[in-house]
Each structure stands twice: as structure tokens, then as C-alpha cells.
């Protein structure tokens, strides 16, 4: 092994709070011999800790301007936001947009600490890593750990296992972060010191299978619960954010499901069919997800039992603590450590709310009518389209009363016209009841509609927005947002059940359980319907393979709404260029509700396959032959 010296620039402002005292008791910037780095568990884990801080938390990454919703579910007008640039088809703008979590560089505040974080309260947590740069750094760090296994002579076998288990997990995870947005990418397994010659693989499947081997090694080496291990006893009670066997299984399944999805299966070829998957990869994904469901059954994780408990998962955890691990439910499986800056967290929780009400740094991302109308269905469990068809019973939807008889999740997570924000005397009268109409009869819109920092669509989303006893946060009269921490957006148990159902349906059908776990796709989806208080999927829909897939996707869209999954989902399903997913709309209506009209806000520029993958920065494709640019760029 070459005797290397590693310059460690530790970003102390970003370190996991539960780890830095024991594992990183060294100077903020030091040049350390490689033998010393891996001489003990404490120093080895200190090196690994930096990979946790390279995990990008999409919801809090954008400074105080949260702009993480890139699908058909949100609408912005600000030209500087990547979501607006994406609507125009300008995917190459990721390279220079430092407010996007996809930006080519990590955004670190400059100051008296020469560009690292932690010198002032203002800087801590606000400059965050970005997906491309952080992933490249993370892959390299993981490879450094794996390459120096023979230097870990001072570690017990258990300690050595968990160090390597984390490294294999992160090598796979950071590859997946790149693959989600840029597509097929070389599986890098060495620490490059000279020319890079690894060719870009021909298919997404090829690299996904290579990454799967990393997840398999991580699963073998990682613990189920750090608190139960001798090395975890040193940070007992503060291990919530650490990588576990369950996290490795969950991301293994996600890697395989994405590789099985139509976009990856057709590999950018024409004639993509949104219902065609790689069934072999999907079956492999099912077995990985099944292992997580077994851990759920054993008490390691837990779904919220009802909508009231579900709120606690989404936002009702105390400030500066790990979210989604409340007594009522243990949903969190893995997430980035996120920023410590309260403004970034508050802005995320209020992303769907206007600044004059929420008093946070963000500017309101308007919840689109097209997304809500197509996905948030009716109290009878049907989509609006199926309800209106009359095939499944007497319709509930009334176009003249579009907010009535809806799925309870509509009322839990969406503000519509005439909804009550709060009634406390301190709340300004104008903000107590939502005024989202587009016309008051004289040509003027409601107080919360069609002007800067308010809704442009007739809706607001409040999924992560604090509410106590029916009174929502308001900058005046009910200022409570600073008490809470919103959920972080990587992997939670609900997502695993949804992916399990999707992978199982395409590999075995809606009503057949796999040998690895006794739960059908239909039963998995009905868990969420039971929690929401609506009927299960109609038997006639279950019996139709394509209709049931549509229903699976609709259920996923509702349950994971506004959690940064949507843009990845509509791309991997191969539907992003279709009108239904491309055109963003608002709902126009008058104050007295005498008319309701859908109005187009933007027809997104989206061609298949050009706008399905981000383009690589030009110099990335010029390092050496064998690394072609993504199609159309």
C-alpha cells in the first residue's frame, strides 16, 4: 500500500452533532499520515463521518430559497430558480445555479475560516454540499476507506466491519445520486491518482448491477441497530442518523427498481412503453424491500397508524432533533444530516406557503392544479377521472364544488379557498381564512392569490407546516414554526412499501405475494388507504394490470407529494413528456364559486429522451474517449 498523506479539511459546522466530539478530536485542518487515519476506530470513523455530511438534503439545501420541487407538482415564476429553468427545458443551467441542490460545486460561505463552515452562526449549516460535487467526493472517500482495509490493524473485527460497511454503502449511494439525474455512470472502485480511463457503461442496468454488489457487501457488514453494538454504545441514543442494514436493503431495492423502470429498460431508445419493466430486476428489488418490511414487523421501523400520528412524522418533532422517529411512528430509514441553520429548515417547512404569512426566507412554490386534480382523488378511494366515469358507482365529484368529498389527505396537506389558517386574535384578519379566488367580481383576486410571494394556482401545500389544535403557524399570532423540524427527504418506510408494491406488481401481479414476504401489492397499497380512511383499491381496477399500475403511481404521488420524488418518478416511468405531466395548470374561480376553470400556466419543454437526463458538463465528456454526452446535448 502506497504511503499516502491525506489533507483532511473537516467541515465542523456540518458534522453530525452526535459524532464530532468522540470521532473527530483533531484540528479543523490537518495533514495526517494515512496510517494514522486508519489506526483506530475513532480516527477511521472520523474519516467516514465526512461522507454523511456529503449527503444532500434536498429540502434544506437551497439556502433560504427552497427550490427542490422539479416535477409537475410545483410552479414558480422566479427566473433564478432551477425549477423555472427546467420548465423552459434549460437543464444545462444546473451547472451554474448555486441555489439548486444539483449545482456542480458545493456552496460554502466564504469568511474568516477560508471557505469552510463553522466560524460564525450565520455560516453554520447554510452552505451545503450539492449533488454532483458531493457525490464525486463521497465516492472517492469511500474508495480510500476500502483501499486501506489492511491498515485497520488496531480495530476489532466488528469495528472493521462497520467501517467497511459504511464505505460500501456510501460508494453505492453516491453512485445512485448521480445516476438518478445523469443516467448511466461508471462504477468507480479505485482511488484515481492519474488518468481516468473508465468508460461509460452502455446501459443503466450494467452499472446498477455493479452498485448492487456494493449494497450486498454493506448489508453483510452493517448492524441492524447501532445502539445494540459495542462501538455504538459510545454514542448511545445518538445513532439515529447512522447507516444500518435496513437502510442498505432499502437503497438496494431502490437501485434495482430504478434500473427496472421503463426509462432505464428502454435505454433512451424510441418507442418507450410506460408499463414495460425489467421483471428480473423488479423481482430482485422485491426481495430487498421484503427485508426492510421484516424489520418493520420486528419493531425496528413503524408506520403511523392514522393521519393524526402521520403529522408528527412529517413535521412534529422538536427543533434540532432527528425527525420521523416520534413515539407514534418510526418512519425514518436514512437521510442527510441537513443544515443546522434554522432559517433553511423553516423555509423548507413553509415551501408551499407565502412569505407574508409564514415569515420565512423562502418564496412560495405554488401547488399546481394539474397535480392535485390528477392525484388527490375522492373519499370513495377513486381518482377523479375514475369517479366521474360512473363505472365504479355513483360519482362524488361535483365540478361546481371541486373541494368537496375529497380524499382526507387533500384536506390534511392542501390549503384551498375558504380554509382556515387560524382564528387567534393575534393573526391579522386578512390571513385567518384563505382567499385564493382569482376574481372577486371586480377583476381583483383574493388576498392570497396571483401576486408575488402568494399562490399563482389557487392552492397552497401545508404538508410540513406546523399546526397545533387547528391553528397553523403565522408570523403574527401563532409563531410556532421555530419549535419543529420537518422531515428529511431520502428514505422512509412509506416509500419502501410503495416501491415494494410497484416492483411486486410488475414482477408477479397485484394479488400474488412473493416467497420473501407474505404481502401482496394490493395489500401494501391498502395500508395507506386504511390509514387515510378511504376504501381499498376497487376490485375491477386490481384486476386490470395497467389500471392497477396507474393506481399504484397515483397512490405514490399522493403519499410522497412534495417530497422531491416526483421529477425522478415521472422520468423513470417514461411519462414526463406527455401532456398530463408536462402542462402545469391553475384553477381559476370567482369569490362566490359560481365558476371553476382550469388555466394553463406553462407548457413545459420536455422531449424524450433529451430532457430526461441532465447533460454532463462539457469537460466531463472530453477527459477521454468512451464517455459520450447524454442524448440531445
Amino acid at each position: 500500500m502506497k504511503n499516502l498523506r491525506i489533507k483532511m479539511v473537516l467541515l465542523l459546522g456540518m458534522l453530525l452533532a452526535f459524532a464530532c466530539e468522540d470521532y473527530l478530536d483533531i484540528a479543523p485542518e490537518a495533514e495526517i499520515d494515512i496510517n494514522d487515519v486508519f489506526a483506530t476506530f475513532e480516527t477511521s470513523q472520523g474519516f467516514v463521518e465526512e461522507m454523511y455530511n456529503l449527503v444532500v438534503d434536498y429540502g434544506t439545501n437551497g439556502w433560504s430559497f427552497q427550490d427542490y420541487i422539479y416535477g409537475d407538482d410545483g410552479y414558480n415564476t422566479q427566473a433564478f430558480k432551477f425549477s423555472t429553468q427546467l420548465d423552459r427545458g434549460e437543464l444545462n443551467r444546473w451547472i451554474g445555479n448555486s441555489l439548486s441542490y444539483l449545482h456542480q460545486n458545493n456552496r460554502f460561505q466564504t469568511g474568516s475560516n477560508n471557505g469552510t463552515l463553522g466560524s460564525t452562526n450565520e455560516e453554520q449549516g447554510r452552505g451545503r454540499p450539492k449533488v454532483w460535487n458531493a457525490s464525486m467526493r463521497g465516492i472517492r472517500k469511500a474508495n480510500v476507506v476500502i483501499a486501506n482495509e489492511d491498515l485497520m490493524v488496531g480495530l476489532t473485527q466488528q469495528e472493521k466491519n462497520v467501517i467497511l460497511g459504511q464505505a460500501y454503502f456510501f460508494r453505492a449511494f453516491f453512485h445512485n445520486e448521480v445516476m438518478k439525474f445523469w443516467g448511466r455512470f461508471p462504477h468507480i472502485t479505485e482511488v484515481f491518482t492519474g488518468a481516468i480511463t473508465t468508460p461509460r457503461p452502455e446501459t443503466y442496468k450494467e452499472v446498477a448491477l455493479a452498485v448492487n454488489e456494493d449494497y450486498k457487501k454493506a448489508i453483510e457488514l452493517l448492524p441492524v441497530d447501532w445502539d445494540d453494538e459495542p462501538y455504538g454504545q459510545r454514542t448511545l441514543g445518538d445513532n439515529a442518523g447512522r447507516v444500518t442494514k435496513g437502510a442498505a436493503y432499502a437503497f438496494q431495492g431502490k437501485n434495482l427498481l430504478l434500473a427496472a423502470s421503463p426509462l432505464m429498460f428502454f435505454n433512451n431508445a424510441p418507442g418507450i412503453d410506460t408499463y414495460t419493466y425489467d421483471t428480473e430486476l423488479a423481482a430482485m428489488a422485491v426481495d430487498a424491500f421484503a427485508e426492510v418490511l421484516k424489520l418493520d414487523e420486528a419493531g425496528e421501523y413503524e408506520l403511523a397508524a392514522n393521519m393524526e400520528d402521520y403529522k408528527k412524522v412529517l413535521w412534529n418533532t422538536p427543533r434540532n432533533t432527528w425527525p420521523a422517529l416520534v413515539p407514534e411512528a418510526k418512519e425514518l430509514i436514512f437521510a442527510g444530516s441537513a443544515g443546522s441553520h434554522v432559517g433553511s429548515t423553516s423555509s423548507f417547512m413553509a415551501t408551499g406557503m407565502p412569505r407574508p404569512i409564514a415569515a420565512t426566507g423562502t418564496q412560495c412554490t405554488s401547488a399546481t392544479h394539474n397535480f392535485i386534480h390528477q392525484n388527490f382523488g375522492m373519499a370513495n378511494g377513486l381518482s377523479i377521472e375514475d369517479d366521474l366515469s360512473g363505472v365504479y358507482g355513483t360519482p362524488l365529484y361535483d365540478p361546481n364544488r371541486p373541494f368537496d368529498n375529497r380524499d382526507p389527505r387533500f384536506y390534511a396537506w392542501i390549503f384551498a379557498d375558504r380554509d382556515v389558517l387560524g382564528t387567534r386574535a393575534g393573526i391579522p384578519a386578512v390571513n385567518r381564512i384563505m382567499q385564493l379566488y382569482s376574481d372577486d367580481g371586480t377583476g381583483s383576486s383574493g388576498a392570497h392569490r396571483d401576486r408575488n410571494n402568494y399562490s399563482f394556482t389557487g392552492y397552497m401545500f401545508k404538508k410540513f407546516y406546523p399546526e397545533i389544535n387547528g391553528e397553523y403557524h403565522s408570523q403574527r399570532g401563532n409563531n410556532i414554526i421555530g419549535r419543529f423540524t420537518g422531515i428529511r427527504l431520502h428514505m422512509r418506510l412509506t416509500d419502501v412499501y410503495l416501491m415494494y408494491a410497484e416492483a411486486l406488481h410488475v414482477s408477479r401481479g397485484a394479488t400474488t405475494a412473493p416467497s420473501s414476504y407474505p404481502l401482496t401489492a394490493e395489500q401494501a397499497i391498502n395500508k395507506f388507504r386504511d390509514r387515510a380512511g378511504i376504501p381499498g383499491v376497487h376490485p375491477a381496477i386490481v384486476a386490470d394490470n395497467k389500471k392497477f399500475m396507474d393506481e399504484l403511481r397515483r397512490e405514490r404521488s399522493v403519499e410522497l407529494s412534495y417530497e422531491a420524488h416526483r421529477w425522478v418518478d415521472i422520468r423513470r416511468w417514461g411519462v414526463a413528456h406527455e401532456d398530463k405531466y408536462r402542462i402545469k395548470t391553475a384553477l381559476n374561480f370567482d369569490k362566490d364559486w359560481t365558476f371553476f376553470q382550469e388555466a394553463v400556466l406553462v407548457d413545459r419543454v420536455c422531449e424524450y429522451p433529451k430532457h430526461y437526463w441532465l447533460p454532463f458538463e462539457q469537460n466531463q465528456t472530453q477527459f477521454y474517449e468512451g464517455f459520450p454526452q447524454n442524448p440531445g446535448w
Side-chain angles (χ1 to χ4, degrees), residues 6-12 26-32 50 113-116:
I6 295 179
K7 186 175 183 181
M8 301 179 70
V9 181
L10 303 180
L11 308 178
L12 296 182
I26 60 175
E29 184 169 338
E31 202 167 90
I32 304 173
E50 290 193 313
N113 57 348
N114 297 319
T116 59

Side-chain angles (χ1 to χ4, degrees), residues 7 34 43 171 227 273 278 300 533 565 599:
K7 186 175 183 181
I34 192 72
T43 54
R171 187 166 77 181
D227 285 356
D273 176 12
D278 185 316
E300 192 65 28
H565 295 279

Side-chain angles (χ1 to χ4, degrees), residues 275 277 386 392 497-498 500-506 508-512 520-526 529 536-556:
Y275 296 104
Y277 286 68
D386 286 338
Y392 308 100
Y497 273 97
L498 290 164
Y500 170 87
E502 181 181 345
L504 180 55
H505 176 55
V506 299
R508 288 177 173 267
T511 58
T512 302
T520 68
E522 178 190 13
Q523 291 167 339
I525 290 302
N526 284 341
R529 292 171 171 246
V537 183
H538 194 283
I541 293 176
V542 175
D544 184 321
N545 282 340
K546 290 186 177 181
K547 286 286 293 181
F548 186 67
M549 174 56 76
D550 292 341
E551 201 66 2
L552 286 175
R553 291 175 178 175
R554 189 173 71 84
E555 193 69 27
R556 178 175 180 83

Side-chain angles (χ1 to χ4, degrees), residues 153-450:
V153 293
L155 284 66
T156 67
Q157 189 60 51
Q158 285 179 306
E159 292 171 342
K160 185 176 180 180
N161 286 350
V162 77
I163 294 295
L164 291 171
Q166 291 171 96
Y168 279 113
F169 172 87
F170 280 119
R171 187 166 77 181
F173 174 85
F174 286 121
H175 274 90
N176 280 160
E177 285 292 273
V178 174
M179 293 161 64
K180 281 192 304 186
F181 303 110
W182 287 270
R184 51 196 173 88
F185 189 76
H187 185 225
I188 301 171
T189 60
E190 59 183 296
V191 183
F192 290 115
T193 57
I196 301 173
T197 58
T198 305
R200 191 177 183 196
E202 291 294 324
T203 66
Y204 190 103
K205 180 177 181 178
E206 178 184 338
V207 65
L209 288 174
V211 167
N212 184 55
E213 294 302 312
D214 282 347
Y215 282 125
K216 286 164 67 175
K217 291 175 183 176
I219 289 164
E220 179 184 348
L221 297 168
L222 288 169
V224 170
D225 189 331
W226 278 66
D227 285 356
D228 296 337
E229 304 297 332
Y231 49 77
Q233 291 290 310
R234 306 176 198 185
T235 49
L236 188 64
D238 290 321
N239 292 318
R242 299 197 182 282
V243 177
T244 62
K245 201 178 294 290
Y249 274 125
F251 281 99
Q252 179 192 32
K254 184 172 185 178
N255 170 57
L256 292 167
L257 176 58
L258 264 62
S261 296
L263 175 64
M264 292 70 165
F265 179 76
F266 283 89
N267 201 33
N268 305 323
I272 186 171
D273 176 12
T274 184
Y275 296 104
T276 300
Y277 286 68
D278 185 316
T279 56
E280 179 183 6
L281 291 179
M284 292 168 63
V286 168
D287 290 341
F289 294 134
E291 296 302 320
V292 185
L293 303 190
K294 291 174 186 176
L295 292 172
D296 171 28
E297 197 174 66
E300 192 65 28
Y301 308 113
E302 185 178 4
L303 288 172
N306 52 60
M307 293 301 293
E308 198 59 36
D309 288 348
Y310 205 179
K311 291 179 183 178
K312 297 179 175 62
V313 171
L314 298 171
W315 60 263
N316 194 356
T317 44
R319 174 177 157 185
N320 294 331
T321 58
W322 279 91
L325 293 171
V326 293
E328 292 81 2
K330 296 183 290 184
E331 280 249 359
L332 186 68
I333 294 176
F334 181 75
S337 55
S340 60
H341 188 263
V342 175
S344 295
T345 302
S346 297
S347 292
F348 160 68
M349 296 170 72
T351 303
M353 298 297 298
R355 187 185 291 179
I357 292 177
T360 64
T362 199
Q363 291 170 303
C364 179
T365 296
S366 299
T368 57
H369 174 66
N370 53 283
F371 177 77
I372 292 171
H373 184 79
Q374 291 162 12
N375 294 291
F376 283 84
M378 305 304 295
N380 57 15
L382 296 171
S383 68
I384 291 176
E385 181 182 4
D386 286 338
D387 177 73
L388 286 175
S389 73
V391 172
Y392 308 100
T394 303
L396 290 180
Y397 185 74
D398 180 353
N400 296 314
R401 300 283 298 187
F403 311 136
D404 293 355
N405 301 316
R406 300 294 291 270
D407 182 323
R409 291 169 291 189
F410 174 88
Y411 304 110
W413 299 338
I414 303 294
F415 270 132
D417 191 49
R418 303 183 186 177
D419 284 350
V420 176
L421 178 86
T423 59
R424 296 178 63 171
I427 300 175
V430 69
N431 288 340
R432 294 176 192 171
I433 298 177
M434 291 298 160
Q435 301 172 50
L436 290 164
Y437 49 86
S438 56
D439 186 355
D440 67 354
T442 68
S444 297
S445 59
H448 306 123
R449 177 72 185 268
D450 288 343

